[in-house]
Each structure stands twice: as C-alpha cells, then as structure tokens.
Amino acid sequence: MSWFLNFMNSSIGKKMQMAITGILLCLFLIVHVIGNLVLFAGPNAFNTYVEALSSVKPLVRSLEVVLALMFIWHIFNGVRLTIENRKATPEKYLMNKAAENSKLTSRTMGLTGSLIFIFLVTHLGTIWRLFQLEHGGGKFYDIVISGRFGFNNIYYTLIYIFAMALLGLHLRHGFQSAFQTFGWNHSKYKPLISGVAVFFWLIIPLAFMSIPIYFGLLGGGN
Amino acid sequence: MNVTLKVWRQSNSQSKGFFSIYNVSDVSEEMSFFEMLDMLNESLVEKGEEPIAFDHDCREGICGTCGVFINGRAHGPISGITTCQLHMRRFNNGDTIIIEPWRAKAFPVIKDLVVDRTSLDRVMMSGGYVSVNTGGTPDANAIPISKVNADEAMDAASCIGCGACVATCKNSSAMLFVSAKVSQYALLPQGMIEKKIRAQNMVDSMDEEGFGNCSNTYACEAECPKEISVSHIARMNREFFKASIS
Ligand code: HEM
Ligand code: SF4
Ligand code: FES
C-alpha cells in the first residue's frame, strides 16, 4: 500500500487525481445539460422527465453519492494544490509579465474553481433542494422557470449565466490540461483533443446558459 | 544610450533585500546585457561600493549558469535565449530595466541576483545518470536508434539546467527540467533500462526539494532558452505512472 500512498501524495499523483476527477465531472455535465435542455420541450416533457428520474431513486441517489465524492475530492485536492503552490513561491516578482508566456485561464484555475464552488452551493441550496422537497405534482418546470429561485429572478439568472461563463473558462484550460497530465500529448492526437475540448468548454456552457437567457432574459416560456 | 536599472540588492541569504536604482550612461547597442552590468560594476568599485553579484560563466549560452528576471521575463524579453545572449540593442534609450533574481522557495537568494540552485543538482544526483555497465565506446551505428528517438533525446539533452522554467512558473515547479532529464535517458537504449527507477527517484527528489506542483500553464516551455517542449513533461507523467503501478 505504501507505493499507492506515495503515488497519491506525489506531485504527479495529485495532478492525476485532479485530472481524473475533473474529467468525470465533465461527463456529469453532459448528462446534466441534456436534462436541462428538456425544458425547451415544455412543462409536460420536463415534469415527466424529472418524475421518471424520481422513479429510479436508488440509482439516482447512488450516482449522486459518486458525484458528490468526485466534487469533494476535486475541490479538496484543488485547494491543497493551490495552497502548496503558493508556499513554493513565497516571494513574488516586482514585475512579472506572465501574460507573455501563459494563458490567463491556466493561471486562474483556483479562482474560477472557487467561484464555481460558490455557485454550486447556492445551486444545491435552491433549485436542487426545492426539487428534493417536491414529490410528483408536476411542479418542477415551475420551480425552474417561475419559482422564487427560478429564472424569473433576475439575480439568480445573472448568477447562473456568470457561473456558466466561469465553467467555460475553467474547462478552457482544464480539459486539454487533463490529457497532458495523463501523458497523452502527441502531435497525432492533439487536434482531436482540442476539438473535443471545444465541446466541453464552449458548447456545454453555452447550452447551460441558453436556458436562463431564453427563459430569464428573453422572457420565453410564458 | 542611457538606461535606468532597478536592481535587487541583498548582501546575504539572511539579510533583507531591497531595490536599488542606478543610472547607466553611454551604453552602446553592441554591448551584451552583462557587459552593461560589468561597466556599472566597474564604476561601483571605483566609487568604493559593492558591485552587483550575478551568476555567469561561459557567456555563450551553453553553460546554464546565468539567469535573471528582466522586466518581468525570465532571461529577459527575447524568447529562446539565455541572459548572456541578450544585447542592449533590445532596449531603448531612457528605458527603466527591472532586474530580479529567480524567485522560488527551492532557489534561495545567496547574494543580490545569485541564487542557490543546488536543489536541481540534488535532483540530478537522485537519478540523472546511467549506472548499468555499457562497456566501451561502441562503433557508430552499432546500436540502432530511430531517428525520431535520437532527435527527441537530443532536444531533451539540450537542457542546460538554468532554472528559468522554475523561475517563471507560478508554482515554482521543476517539471520541465526534470522531465528533460527523464526523457533524455528513457529514449535511448542505455538509459531505458533504468527508466522506471529513475522517474520514481527523480520525481521523489523533486518533491522533497520544495518545488511546487505543475498545473500545465506551459510558461516553462515559453521561457526555456532551449525551447524544450512540455511533451517531455507528458512523457515523465507516463513514466512515473508506469513506475508507480508496476
Ligand atoms: C463542474 C465543475 C468542474 C469541472 C467539470 C472541473 C473540471 C476540471 C478539469 C478537467 C481540470 C483539469 C485537471 C488537470 O489540470 O489535469 C480541473 C482543474 C482544476 N479544478 Fe476543476 N472542475 C470543476 C469544479 C471545480 C471546483 C468547484 C473547484 C474548486 C476549488 C475546482 C478547482 C480546480 C483547480 C484548482 C484545478 C487546477 C488543478 C491544477 O492546477 O493542476 N474545480 N477542473
Ligand atoms: S528546461 Fe529549459 S528553462 Fe528549464 S533548466 Fe533546462 S534549459 Fe533551463
Ligand atoms: S553564462 Fe553560460 S549560458 Fe549564460
């Protein structure tokens, strides 16, 4: 077991844990966004979809436990890395033109991640919690669209859009970075990885955003 | 041309440092950056002041001894060169030039612009060599090596250990340096034999020395005077993973 702990606590091991949990969270995003897009199909379709999910509660619950573990692991490790890395650079330069050698998104993973975390907490405390309290009754669509913490609340709408933009920035760097971490940096596969990356850092956040934009800002669905 | 220098001065590793301002006049465009500093130092000595300490040796871009942070960039504003290869024609009359030592916990300042980079030496001592018996010098081409591997190993071997990668990294990670060494040996028949234990030991040693964790900003690749590719870091990640699980 010592080899395992040694690996997990090594700099490269910590990187790999970050990458694995990050990619699994990306897979979760696909499932989540598809579900959200059902809102465009109208109240009946969305309520039926959520109720169908409720009917397989044990499965949903166990996946939620895995997901929560991924988040906790990713966040715990991310905070640990960010703190350790600060300690490794106790003195800053008077002048540092970091913009000339690296991308802003790569230097702000701790910041974008932390802001996403704040959003995650508000999201769980509002829509997610209200969904848990609801048992059937076809109210799910209304919770999202016209509820107190739904998209007719302009503040919630703007926070949601902002958070998805941050998610896009986090994944702009994060997605391709994970493959470098796994050691899959090869000129043959690079175009493929950056192609798939566009789906995760651009298309998925835009798809998430389209809902608050349509129902919140443009007043759709009424 | 005339330039104003803002230079980090620190008399020893214990003392507190500060920036000193020097006006240097009659600098010729043909001077190298270090010749400009030499000229300043001569005038400081004449005035009975302590000259600015900076590391240098070959002054032809091959030894890796030199290296300072100039105007916010490791080895100065030009990519792909060491500090000793920087010339004053890259600056303009009236410029203020900020000169700072490499900043990293693993590179403590010894004096002024000179830092202690023996942490890199200790990482080398943990595995940056071949210890299997390889016999005498073989005939050229007696050991077949693919051109691709030979080229990549040669690219990795061009690392001069200057530490710019660490200095520019926001995490003070030494991954580019260590991966260049791991790659260089892992690609060649003599080094391949010990590649697992080497990756393991060098990464362990790197972590012990207090370098930070890589977060793939790729600033190292952009500032490396030998333009060593981060694909070597990817190779080291693979090698370390394989070494850990088998
Ligand atoms: C749905 C949400 C999230 C997804 C899909 C996600 C995805 C990713 C991915 C793919 C990476 C790249 C891993 C690598 O560099 O190898 C990453 C890195 C990172 N994530 Fe997240 N992440 C999410 C939320 C968060 C949160 C809430 C935090 C909170 C602190 C966070 C903090 C970080 C940090 C600090 C890194 C950089 C690690 C490093 O510097 O090596 N992430 N994330
Ligand atoms: S990898 Fe490049 S920047 Fe780093 S020590 Fe070697 S030559 Fe210097
Ligand atoms: S003095 Fe040798 S590389 Fe600059």
Side-chain angles (χ1 to χ4, degrees):
Chain A
M1 270 321 264
S2 76
W3 68 266
F4 182 71
L5 291 179
N6 190 29
F7 173 75
M8 297 295 270
N9 286 314
S10 68
S11 56
I12 297 180
K14 283 179 278 186
K15 244 169 103 71
M16 291 200 174
Q17 292 166 57
M18 214 55 210
I20 291 172
T21 51
I23 292 298
L24 290 175
L25 290 176
C26 286
L27 296 182
F28 153 71
L29 291 179
I30 303 182
V31 182
H32 194 322
V33 80
I34 292 176
N36 290 10
L37 291 174
V38 177
L39 281 165
F40 283 114
N44 286 340
F46 188 71
N47 288 333
T48 316
Y49 157 72
V50 179
E51 274 156 32
L53 274 186
S54 315
S55 67
V56 282
K57 263 272 147 65
L59 176 70
V60 174
R61 281 284 177 256
S62 29
L63 286 177
E64 275 174 355
V65 170
V66 175
L67 181 63
L69 283 177
M70 285 305 124
F71 264 115
I72 292 167
W73 197 345
H74 188 80
I75 293 166
F76 172 78
N77 208 38
V79 170
R80 176 179 172 196
L81 282 172
T82 308
I83 293 172
E84 282 178 3
N85 288 344
R86 289 244 169 105
K87 282 198 190 138
T89 353
E91 287 193 75
K92 302 287 170 214
Y93 292 102
L94 180 65
M95 183 188 264
N96 190 352
K97 293 191 183 148
E100 290 181 21
N101 56 39
S102 54
K103 294 206 181 95
L104 185 64
T105 47
S106 74
R107 286 180 271 119
T108 49
M109 292 300 278
L111 179 68
T112 49
S114 305
L115 292 172
I116 296 170
F117 174 69
I118 295 173
F119 166 76
L120 190 66
V121 174
T122 60
H123 183 60
L124 290 178
T126 54
I127 295 202
W128 186 78
R129 192 177 53 89
L130 292 175
F131 268 47
Q132 308 310 307
L133 297 175
E134 206 59 46
H135 297 286
K139 295 231 186 68
F140 298 109
Y141 181 87
D142 295 339
I143 292 176
V144 181
I145 305 304
S146 50
R148 200 151 73 86
F149 299 110
F151 293 131
N152 71 346
N153 177 336
I154 183 71
Y155 299 108
Y156 195 78
T157 302
L158 292 178
I159 290 173
Y160 196 101
I161 294 173
F162 182 58
M164 290 309 113
L166 290 168
L167 180 65
L169 295 177
H170 196 71
L171 297 182
R172 173 79 179 95
H173 173 70
F175 189 80
Q176 58 75 33
S177 169
F179 291 89
Q180 162 78 4
T181 300
F182 295 142
W184 297 338
N185 176 336
H186 193 288
S187 50
K188 260 189 198 163
Y189 304 113
K190 255 192 182 161
L192 177 69
I193 292 174
S194 39
V196 177
V198 174
F199 177 72
F200 283 95
W201 76 261
L202 187 64
I203 309 288
I204 288 197
L206 281 180
F208 272 115
M209 260 187 224
S210 67
I211 293 155
I213 290 178
Y214 178 72
F215 293 100
L217 299 184
L218 304 179
N222 291 319
Chain B
M1 64 199 252
N2 302 323
V3 290
T4 305
L5 304 185
K6 203 168 171 181
V7 187
W8 183 257
R9 302 301 311 259
Q10 182 174 339
S11 37
N12 58 54
S13 56
Q14 259 69 51
S15 62
K16 235 174 107 59
F18 53 89
F19 282 97
S20 271
I21 295 181
Y22 303 95
N23 290 309
V24 192
S25 39
D26 300 324
V27 176
S28 106
E29 295 205 329
E30 280 79 37
M31 275 182 180
S32 75
F33 191 79
F34 282 159
E35 281 165 343
M36 183 272 297
L37 283 182
D38 290 338
M39 191 170 81
L40 170 63
N41 274 346
E42 271 170 35
S43 75
L44 289 179
V45 171
E46 271 169 29
K47 281 191 270 180
E49 288 176 32
E50 187 71 16
I52 300 163
F54 61 92
D55 252 339
H56 59 100
D57 188 18
C58 71
R59 293 209 181 187
E60 51 189 14
I62 54 172
C63 74
T65 311
C66 66
V68 286
F69 227 68
I70 303 167
N71 280 349
R73 299 279 307 275
H75 291 301
I78 311 300
S79 298
I81 58 168
T82 54
T83 308
C84 60
Q85 298 303 294
L86 180 64
H87 285 78
M88 292 311 292
R89 60 174 171 271
R90 304 293 192 170
F91 298 91
N92 298 315
N93 187 26
D95 275 2
T96 296
I97 306 173
I98 300 175
I99 313 175
E100 303 175 72
W102 286 166
R103 295 284 188 204
K105 190 168 145 241
F107 287 172
V109 172
I110 300 173
K111 187 177 183 184
D112 297 341
L113 303 172
V114 181
V115 298
D116 180 355
R117 281 169 296 182
T118 49
S119 44
L120 294 184
D121 298 340
R122 285 187 293 273
V123 174
M124 279 308 271
M125 282 155 61
S126 72
Y129 49 78
V130 171
S131 62
V132 293
N133 206 338
T134 55
T137 315
D139 280 347
N141 304 328
I143 307 173
I145 301 167
S146 83
K147 172 87 174 124
V148 177
N149 279 14
D151 285 352
E152 267 196 56
M154 191 62 211
D155 286 347
S158 67
C159 165
I160 51 177
C162 65
C165 44
V166 178
T168 199
C169 175
K170 82 182 213 333
N171 313 320
S172 297
S173 164
M175 289 285 273
L176 193 63
F177 168 82
V178 181
S179 70
K181 309 304 170 191
V182 165
S183 246
Q184 169 193 337
Y185 295 111
L187 286 162
L188 297 176
Q190 298 89 337
M192 216 176 267
I193 298 151
E194 295 164 298
K195 66 177 184 176
K196 275 190 193 169
I197 186 81
R198 179 180 304 108
Q200 185 80 57
N201 288 346
M202 290 187 87
V203 171
D204 287 352
S205 162
M206 169 180 82
D207 290 351
E208 275 163 29
E209 291 295 339
F211 295 104
N213 308 289
C214 173
S215 58
N216 297 340
T217 69
Y218 312 138
C220 50
E221 179 183 82
E223 298 293 14
C224 172
K226 300 298 161 184
E227 300 178 323
I228 289 175
S229 160
V230 293
S231 64
H232 295 293
I233 297 183
R235 177 176 293 106
M236 179 163 77
N237 291 344
R238 289 200 295 274
E239 293 297 343
F240 181 76
F241 182 69
K242 281 191 262 175
S244 293
I245 59 164
S246 59

